[in-house]
Amino acid sequence: MKKSDIKILLVDDEPDIIEIVSYNLKSEGYQIFTATNGLEAVKSAKKNSPHLILLDIMMPEMDGLEATALIKKSPDLYGTPKVIALTASALKEDKEKCAEVGMDDFLSKPLDMNEIIRVLTMV
């Protein structure tokens, strides 16, 4: 699959992260959709059918764990290949919670664009 065919949903409540990561991924040629909370993430995922979701854990309205659980259970999104947690927490318990709801990987903040690019090879 060509980079230009890959759709990525980036979800974070921090505008700077959305701006920087979106810019870098668009520069690489990926299609980027954004949301600022879990509720928007679920709606955008249903509308855009992304290949990969990069999802913050701690957000207003609906956190990333709850959003992931809904995305993974949604018949409209059956087969969403990868959901990657983005979080400032590196606690073992948090990693376990991510795995329990079906997240495929875990990236710690501050984000490293090389790590994000590495994750894109999973798509």
Side-chain angles (χ1 to χ4, degrees):
M1 186 179 308
K2 297 183 300 187
K3 286 182 181 181
S4 59
D5 294 332
I6 297 174
K7 296 185 276 186
I8 300 169
L9 173 57
L10 173 63
V11 187
D12 202 301
D13 60 332
E14 295 181 37
D16 291 344
I17 289 177
I18 293 281
E19 183 179 344
I20 292 166
V21 175
S22 291
Y23 174 81
N24 282 292
L25 293 175
K26 285 178 184 176
S27 296
E28 290 285 326
Y30 298 100
Q31 294 180 54
I32 306 300
F33 303 93
T34 63
T36 57
N37 63 59
L39 188 59
E40 286 179 14
V42 173
K43 289 177 184 176
S44 181
K46 288 180 179 181
K47 178 182 177 186
N48 298 302
S49 300
H51 298 96
L52 174 70
I53 301 173
L54 300 171
L55 183 61
D56 187 19
I57 300 298
M58 295 180 283
M59 294 182 292
E61 293 188 47
M62 179 187 294
D63 69 24
L65 297 172
E66 188 177 352
T68 299
L70 288 174
I71 288 167
K72 292 290 186 170
K73 292 178 185 174
S74 174
D76 299 334
L77 295 169
Y78 182 76
T80 297
K82 302 290 177 197
V83 178
I84 309 298
L86 305 177
T87 186
S89 174
L91 298 175
K92 181 181 176 186
E93 301 83 40
D94 290 335
K95 290 182 180 182
E96 290 170 354
K97 289 177 188 175
C98 290
E100 286 172 12
V101 297
M103 290 184 162
D104 300 288
D105 205 346
F106 188 95
L107 296 176
S108 295
K109 292 179 182 179
L111 297 173
D112 177 344
M113 283 309 298
N114 291 326
E115 281 296 303
I116 293 173
I117 298 301
R118 178 194 62 81
V119 167
L120 292 174
T121 63
M122 296 168 43
V123 176

